[in-house]
Amino acid sequence: MKNKTHTSHALSSSTRRAIFLLSLATFSSMALQRICDPMLPELSRVFSAPIGEVSQVISFFAIAYGLMQLFYGPVGDRFGKYRVVMLATMGCSVGSLVCALTPNLNLLVAARIGTALAAAAIIPLSLAWVGDVVQYEYRQETLARVGLGTMLGITGGQLFGGLLTDTLGWRWAFVLMTTTFAVVSFLLWRQLPRLDPMAQHDHAPVGFFKQLQKVAQNPWARTFLGLAVIEGATVFGVLAITAAHLHQVHHISLTLAGGTTALFGLGGMAYMGTAKITIRRFGEVGLARYGGNLFAMSFLVIAFTPWWQLALPACFAAGFSFAMFHNTMQAKATQMVPTARGTGVTLFAGSLFLGQSLGVLVLAELFSHFNSQYILGVDAVIVWGLGLFLSNAIAKRNATQADHA
């Protein structure tokens, strides 16, 4: 297979450094996505709008993010995934600054959409780049390292989103993101000429529509992208309203609610730190099944516990279980259509965030009319079913060694 010239034990120092910098980029991208979660009650107060309306800063971001995958997948395959990620981080720095300066809700939503147009490239193309340079047998371990940045981003975005909103004001959260992206883009730019030659020239010669056609004609790819939509709606959708649920039901501050929800990211980091052992112990089938089970149990606790303190270990466990499930999804996405890897992975990300946008819109609207405990509870049951379905599908597919062909 093209460009699969390295194992995780034989990566050059340049490639290892590039992977580290990509993890910084994925951290920034995920922090940008999640930074508005704990802001929703404050944005509702400041702009005198209901939660369902201000949640557009999350849902519209996700819609734009998802739609741009049709663009970035083929572009990354053709012009180089690493280079496109670098340019995207520059765009996110500018977009975050615009968000910090917006005077009203409509312009803030528009600025978030604009930022999403750049952010859409970062995580999927980083994963696809890893898929190009690391063999499948070692890929999930390496993706876990990149995923550590993603999990840190969930924690950082929610923690600092709540903290800065409660202290200096919500605009300063976007000032922080502006600075972070500026630093990361500079480091990526410095590393670009130092990449190994085969890692630099990872583009594919086929055209835009041919790459999309390769994905569309693959039955497994179609099924897998449908699962990604459901995952985005149920997992990321419910995560967007968790801080608001804790704030409303238990009457705790936004800082405390955001900090509690940020433990989701710490749980994911714990998984990434133990990924090598956990992957070998449970395998992909076990990771999908047990990840879905544990996530469901954790959110049932968050939904119905009368003591908010129990949400602390539950959020941590939910993050750990999500990482078990999602890291398996990511590894499968990199091998979904190997001859159009960038396109396949970005379509996976697009499906994921299309699902997120739908989930946030629906759950935020339900949040305005129904008891949030039951919303979280039903969502948890759906995730349990998703984990069971995915584990069975992987078991059948692995029996044919289809992903290793």
Side-chain angles (χ1 to χ4, degrees):
M1 185 180 299
K2 183 180 178 179
N3 294 337
K4 290 199 335 184
T5 59
H6 304 289
T7 71
S8 63
H9 302 289
L11 295 175
S12 69
S13 60
S14 173
T15 300
R16 289 196 301 270
R17 178 173 172 79
I19 289 173
F20 170 72
L21 294 180
L22 289 176
S23 72
L24 294 182
T26 61
F27 161 82
S28 305
S29 179
M30 184 56 73
L32 181 65
Q33 292 176 40
R34 301 263 63 100
I35 203 162
C36 288
D37 293 355
M39 288 183 191
L40 294 184
E42 177 64 10
L43 293 178
S44 177
R45 185 191 66 81
V46 170
F47 295 118
S48 300
I51 289 286
E53 184 176 347
V54 297
S55 69
Q56 292 174 358
V57 298
I58 301 172
S59 60
F60 283 17
F61 180 102
I63 291 172
Y65 189 109
L67 291 175
M68 285 301 292
Q69 303 310 318
L70 292 173
F71 171 77
Y72 280 123
V75 168
D77 278 332
R78 186 168 185 82
F79 297 106
K81 303 173 184 69
Y82 189 95
R83 182 178 293 104
V84 176
V85 170
M86 177 198 69
L87 295 173
T89 57
M90 294 179 182
C92 287
S93 182
V94 175
S96 297
L97 180 60
V98 175
C99 288
L101 300 175
T102 52
N104 58 60
L105 180 59
N106 288 336
L107 289 178
L108 177 60
V109 172
R112 284 279 290 173
I113 292 172
T115 308
L117 299 181
I122 296 174
I123 294 177
L125 289 186
S126 295
L127 300 177
W129 189 85
V130 169
D132 284 337
V133 301
V134 180
Q135 291 181 1
Y136 187 80
E137 288 75 10
Y138 307 103
R139 195 176 301 158
Q140 189 166 168
E141 295 176 21
T142 307
L143 289 173
R145 299 172 195 169
V146 178
L148 181 61
T150 304
M151 290 300 160
L152 277 170
I154 293 175
T155 299
Q158 293 181 325
L159 178 60
F160 286 104
L163 178 62
L164 291 174
T165 299
D166 267 345
T167 54
L168 299 178
W170 63 269
R171 296 181 188 277
W172 286 96
F174 290 110
V175 172
L176 175 64
M177 294 310 309
T178 300
T179 304
T180 301
F181 274 113
V183 171
V184 172
S185 63
F186 174 75
L187 294 175
L188 289 169
W189 173 74
R190 287 284 303 273
Q191 184 64 21
L192 181 61
R194 303 172 187 174
L195 293 179
D196 293 338
M198 294 190 73
Q200 290 188 47
H201 305 292
D202 58 350
H203 58 273
V206 298
F208 179 95
F209 293 105
K210 287 184 178 180
Q211 292 180 69
L212 292 178
Q213 188 178 29
K214 284 184 179 181
V215 179
Q217 291 177 342
N218 188 309
W220 167 244
R222 294 196 299 270
T223 299
F224 192 79
L225 293 177
L227 294 177
V229 172
I230 298 172
E231 182 195 3
T234 54
V235 176
F236 288 100
V238 78
L239 189 60
I241 65 169
T242 301
H245 162 78
L246 295 173
H247 175 71
Q248 177 177 290
V249 172
H250 298 288
H251 309 291
I252 59 178
S253 69
L254 293 177
T255 298
L256 192 54
T260 301
T261 310
L263 290 172
F264 185 93
L266 291 180
M269 291 166 54
Y271 169 79
M272 300 307 175
T274 61
K276 187 173 183 178
I277 298 173
T278 308
I279 291 168
R280 293 178 180 177
R281 171 65 180 83
F282 296 108
E284 292 179 332
V285 174
L287 291 173
R289 177 177 294 122
Y290 299 131
N293 290 347
L294 182 57
F295 185 94
M297 289 187 291
S298 299
F299 260 88
L300 286 172
V301 171
I302 296 169
F304 296 108
T305 178
W307 305 286
W308 73 265
Q309 291 87 348
L310 286 181
L312 296 168
C315 282
F316 182 89
F320 189 95
S321 59
F322 163 72
M324 293 172 66
F325 180 90
H326 185 66
N327 202 56
T328 303
M329 289 279 286
Q330 287 181 333
K332 289 299 183 184
T334 65
Q335 201 68 5
M336 187 169 55
V337 186
T339 55
R341 198 186 312 277
T343 302
V345 175
T346 51
L347 286 176
F348 165 73
S351 299
L352 190 71
F353 286 95
L354 172 61
Q356 177 186 334
S357 64
L358 295 174
V360 171
L361 285 171
V362 172
L363 293 179
E365 187 63 27
L366 292 175
F367 188 90
S368 301
H369 297 92
F370 298 98
N371 190 318
S372 61
Q373 293 175 308
Y374 297 108
I375 297 172
L376 268 62
V378 171
D379 189 277
V381 173
I382 296 174
V383 174
W384 170 79
L386 181 63
L388 186 61
F389 180 89
L390 178 63
S391 64
N392 290 335
I394 291 176
K396 293 178 181 178
R397 186 169 176 81
N398 284 350
T400 67
Q401 290 294 302
D403 284 330
H404 299 273

